[in-house]
Amino acid sequence: DIQMTQSPSSLPASLGERVTISCRASQGISNNLNWYQQKPDGTIKPLIYYTSNLQSGVPSRFSGSGSGTDYSLTISSLEPEDFAMYYCQQDASFPRTFGGGTKLELK
Amino acid sequence: QVTLKESGPGILQPSQTLSLTCTFSGFSLSTYGMGVGWIRQPSGKGLEWLANIWWDDDKYYNPSLKNRLTISKDTSNNQAFLKITNVDTADTATYYCARVHYGYNPWGQGVMVTVSS
């Protein structure tokens, strides 16, 4: 199985700040990396697919990058609605696996 | 607009079989390339992928639960199903279904399942 390790697990930040969340795979995943946002009510919203492609309707302040085993999600200027949990997920191989999550909190 | 909604028993006892239904609209599981996946999340914990099923009835399971999982579909009624046999308290979680489309997109709202005696 491919293990996905996210860091940090918790990220205190302020409105307007630029933040980056990292995701490392235990082996190369050839850019087959997706990002999701989960709100406290459990709603899960897809953000980015195949490393850097924004899902429809996702604001342009979100961006993704990476290659090989190392990937990242960047939010250029935090808005109030961005404070949530974020998960990465690989679909390079089965079983599909998720990172442990990053909680983006208001500082 | 693509939507998915999960339904389940709410609560069941250890050793019973959990049956979940995902009812969707806006796409067809008889269309080439389409798929549905199941993912679960214990309270306060992360996401665990369970299984995928595709338009051609190809199926993949999480090997950590493989012998207990069965995924299936009813294309006529736009539904996908997941059964988990011999449940125990560790299966208590919110269960999500999602369309397999550039990752999982979109997701249902989730259904909470509690295993308790």
Side-chain angles (χ1 to χ4, degrees), chain A residues 2-10 21-25 33-36 38 84-90 96-104, chain B residues 40-49:
Chain A
I2 298 176
Q3 308 304 316
M4 306 301 293
T5 303
Q6 272 182 251
S7 61
S9 57
S10 176
I21 298 169
S22 297
C23 182
R24 174 167 288 178
L33 191 283
N34 309 311
W35 291 95
Y36 304 91
Q38 185 176 34
M85 285 290 294
Y86 292 85
Y87 292 94
C88 62
Q89 175 251 325
Q90 65 81 18
R96 303 308 197 211
T97 46
F98 291 85
T102 295
K103 187 172 185 179
L104 182 54
Chain B
R40 72 179 179 182
Q41 183 177 40
S43 180
K45 297 188 177 181
L47 298 166
E48 179 183 31
W49 173 77

Side-chain angles (χ1 to χ4, degrees), chain B residues 36 38 51-53 59 61 69-73 81-83:
Chain B
V36 167
W38 286 94
N52 280 7
I53 188 166
K59 302 165 187 173
Y61 296 101
L69 297 177
T70 303
I71 192 169
S72 60
K73 60 182 172 66
F81 310 98
L82 184 71
K83 290 186 187 297

Side-chain angles (χ1 to χ4, degrees), chain A residues 1 34 36 38 41-46 48-49 55 87 89 91 94-100, chain B residues 39 41 45-49 52 54 60-63 96 101-109:
Chain A
D1 299 5
N34 309 311
Y36 304 91
Q38 185 176 34
D41 68 355
T43 302
I44 297 176
K45 177 182 178 180
I48 288 173
Y49 65 95
Q55 296 280 6
Y87 292 94
Q89 175 251 325
D91 54 14
F94 287 98
R96 303 308 197 211
T97 46
F98 291 85
Chain B
I39 302 103
Q41 183 177 40
K45 297 188 177 181
L47 298 166
E48 179 183 31
W49 173 77
N52 280 7
W54 269 271
Y60 286 86
Y61 296 101
N62 190 322
Y96 296 91
H101 183 73
Y102 298 116
Y104 292 101
N105 181 21
W107 295 55
Q109 64 189 25

Side-chain angles (χ1 to χ4, degrees), chain B:
Chain B
Q1 181 189 6
V2 173
T3 64
L4 304 95
K5 186 173 184 179
E6 308 86 348
S7 57
I11 187 166
L12 67 166
Q13 295 185 335
S15 80
Q16 290 186 320
T17 295
L18 169 60
S19 295
L20 297 166
T21 300
C22 174
T23 302
F24 54 86
S25 63
F27 70 101
S28 173
L29 259 180
S30 61
T31 299
Y32 178 90
M34 286 298 164
V36 167
W38 286 94
I39 302 103
R40 72 179 179 182
Q41 183 177 40
S43 180
K45 297 188 177 181
L47 298 166
E48 179 183 31
W49 173 77
L50 298 175
N52 280 7
I53 188 166
W54 269 271
W55 85 100
D56 61 356
D57 213 37
D58 200 9
K59 302 165 187 173
Y60 286 86
Y61 296 101
N62 190 322
S64 67
L65 297 94
K66 187 182 189 306
N67 293 336
R68 301 172 53 215
L69 297 177
T70 303
I71 192 169
S72 60
K73 60 182 172 66
D74 178 349
T75 53
S76 299
N77 290 303
N78 284 343
Q79 292 180 316
F81 310 98
L82 184 71
K83 290 186 187 297
I84 306 179
T85 60
N86 193 27
V87 297
D88 69 10
T89 56
D91 296 307
T92 294
T94 297
Y95 287 77
Y96 296 91
C97 64
R99 184 180 61 162
V100 179
H101 183 73
Y102 298 116
Y104 292 101
N105 181 21
W107 295 55
Q109 64 189 25
V111 62
M112 192 174 299
V113 174
T114 301
V115 179
S116 175
S117 56

Side-chain angles (χ1 to χ4, degrees), chain A residues 5-92:
Chain A
T5 303
Q6 272 182 251
S7 61
S9 57
S10 176
L11 180 55
S14 303
L15 289 171
E17 188 174 341
R18 178 186 179 92
V19 297
T20 297
I21 298 169
S22 297
C23 182
R24 174 167 288 178
S26 59
Q27 64 190 72
I29 55 172
S30 303
N31 293 107
N32 291 289
L33 191 283
N34 309 311
W35 291 95
Y36 304 91
Q37 176 193 68
Q38 185 176 34
K39 292 294 184 72
D41 68 355
T43 302
I44 297 176
K45 177 182 178 180
L47 296 176
I48 288 173
Y49 65 95
Y50 199 67
T51 296
S52 60
N53 298 276
L54 260 61
Q55 296 280 6
S56 177
V58 174
S60 59
R61 63 181 180 273
F62 289 89
S63 63
S65 64
S67 63
T69 61
D70 294 321
Y71 299 85
S72 62
L73 171 71
T74 296
I75 310 172
S76 61
S77 179
L78 284 170
E79 298 285 337
E81 60 268 29
D82 299 337
F83 293 93
M85 285 290 294
Y86 292 85
Y87 292 94
C88 62
Q89 175 251 325
Q90 65 81 18
D91 54 14

